[in-house]
Amino acid sequence: MHVRCGYEQPMNSVIIYQFVNRINILDFEDGQEEEEEEEEVEDQPEEVVEEEEVEAIGHDDLRTFAQKVHTVLGPEMFFDIFNNGNFTLVVPDDNKWNESGFDKLEEEEQVDILKMHIIRTEHNVKIDEHVIRAATAGMYAKFATLSGRSKLYFDRQGGRRAFITVEGCGVNASVLTNDVHEGHIFFHVIEKVLCIPTDTVAVKLTDRSFNFTRTLGGLSFFNEQLRNMDRKFTYFVPRDYAWERAANQFPEIVKKLQMPQFNFHGKKENIFYLVAVPSGTSFSHKR
């Protein structure tokens, strides 16, 4: 399966609608009636057609997402995404948009965030539950998004029939409903908006895939600083499978890092991954 990130200009749905009606008009009795009917179709505001298509979406979460795509990304991209079978969407619960503060962000950030929820494929391929579960066997699965800046990372929690999670820009969300279809649209419903962090690094570290790093930091009280809301830093956190690979290559070193008598070295190891940020510097979700 080949997944490609990109955007192509769609055929204008309004023009198609007008063309079809012109063909039907030829069956009427005289040219004047044809002319009047053509004028009526051409005078129909494009905005009305767009709004009707958005409002016709039955699924509440998808309709809210569609409204934001139409407003922020524009009508052409909206028509491409919602009338083309080559997209898989991860759609946040519509009640989480206000909570995330999305509407208060700059337009450039809104564009990137929405594109991070859209995966483009080819030949009507769907990134469905079966594809995700197969791709996450023993590891996580990553898919390119329309953003072009980062990927979505899918993972399974708790075994073979466990629930699926997706991470975008450091924000992890559970998939609430898999494999939803509506017309040409295929999507998964997720519990929150991606790319807008709401947790401290300490809370993020409770993810079970970071068990080893969290334990290592706890041995030397390294984790305490991660709750400091006034300090800016970037923490590069190895997942458990990274530590497992390291243990296979350097078993004695990884073993000693877990021993109480080597706490100092464990602390130094974690500091290697912690980068302090100068005062006044801030990182957006794109970093």
Side-chain angles (χ1 to χ4, degrees):
M1 180 188 67
H2 173 68
V3 180
R4 178 170 60 88
C5 173
Y7 167 65
E8 299 175 359
Q9 185 173 358
M11 183 179 291
N12 192 310
S13 299
V14 176
I15 293 176
I16 294 174
Y17 177 80
Q18 292 173 354
F19 179 72
V20 171
N21 278 275
R22 286 174 184 164
I23 295 176
N24 294 336
I25 288 166
L26 295 178
D27 295 332
F28 290 163
E29 295 179 357
D30 54 52
Q32 183 176 0
E33 190 171 6
E34 174 186 339
E35 182 178 352
E36 292 175 355
E37 187 70 23
E38 284 186 7
E39 290 178 356
E40 180 180 346
V41 174
E42 291 175 352
D43 290 340
Q44 185 177 15
E46 187 172 325
E47 292 81 3
V48 173
V49 177
E50 296 165 1
E51 291 175 2
E52 288 178 350
E53 185 163 350
V54 172
E55 294 304 319
I57 295 174
H59 195 287
D60 291 342
D61 300 324
L62 182 62
R63 184 168 59 251
T64 300
F65 184 74
Q67 290 168 343
K68 295 189 181 297
V69 168
H70 184 273
T71 301
V72 177
L73 302 184
E76 289 188 356
M77 189 173 289
F78 166 80
F79 277 122
D80 189 23
I81 293 169
F82 285 83
N83 292 280
N84 184 331
N86 290 322
F87 292 96
T88 294
L89 312 179
V90 286
V91 177
D93 181 328
D94 67 337
N95 295 315
K96 299 299 182 180
W97 288 102
N98 289 336
E99 180 181 307
S100 71
F102 175 84
D103 294 332
K104 298 178 182 179
L105 298 175
E106 297 292 332
E107 183 178 354
E108 182 182 358
E109 290 185 296
Q110 292 181 343
V111 169
D112 281 341
I113 290 171
L114 287 175
K115 287 183 176 181
M116 278 295 297
H117 291 75
I118 303 169
I119 302 170
R120 183 171 192 128
T121 62
E122 292 181 342
H123 309 301
N124 288 318
V125 171
K126 312 298 182 188
I127 309 300
D128 58 16
E129 181 182 7
H130 175 75
V131 170
I132 294 171
R133 290 189 180 277
T136 54
M139 203 174 181
Y140 63 85
K142 58 183 178 180
F143 298 96
T145 68
L146 286 190
S147 170
R149 297 177 181 270
S150 185
K151 296 178 174 63
L152 291 182
Y153 295 84
F154 289 85
D155 200 358
R156 290 187 295 177
Q157 301 291 335
R160 183 178 179 183
R161 296 304 304 169
F163 62 92
I164 296 173
T165 63
V166 58
E167 181 176 310
C169 308
V171 176
N172 192 281
S174 297
V175 176
L176 302 178
T177 309
N178 298 304
D179 301 353
V180 186
H181 294 262
E182 182 165 331
H184 295 291
I185 311 163
F186 179 81
F187 62 101
H188 308 284
V189 179
I190 59 177
E191 64 174 334
K192 67 177 72 170
V193 181
L194 301 176
C195 300
I196 305 179
T198 56
D199 297 326
T200 64
V201 176
V203 172
K204 178 66 178 175
L205 207 61
T206 60
D207 187 305
R208 66 178 64 192
S209 63
F210 302 135
N211 281 342
F212 190 96
T213 300
R214 184 178 65 254
T215 302
L216 193 63
L219 292 175
S220 56
F221 303 100
F222 177 89
N223 293 344
E224 295 303 316
Q225 63 187 311
L226 304 180
R227 297 181 175 84
N228 188 344
M229 300 292 290
D230 298 322
R231 185 184 181 192
K232 298 180 185 295
F233 54 82
T234 298
Y235 191 13
F236 296 92
V237 183
R239 292 181 184 269
D240 285 356
Y241 66 78
W243 283 111
E244 289 171 4
R245 294 197 308 189
N248 290 333
Q249 290 183 286
F250 313 103
E252 290 300 319
I253 294 176
V254 175
K255 182 179 180 180
K256 287 180 179 179
L257 287 174
Q258 302 174 73
M259 297 179 178
Q261 59 267 39
F262 291 96
N263 281 351
F264 173 75
H265 298 283
K267 186 173 183 179
K268 288 187 66 176
E269 179 71 12
N270 274 26
I271 289 176
F272 177 77
Y273 292 102
L274 189 65
V275 180
V277 180
S279 178
T281 304
S282 63
F283 285 118
S284 71
H285 70 277
K286 294 178 285 188
R287 299 299 180 98

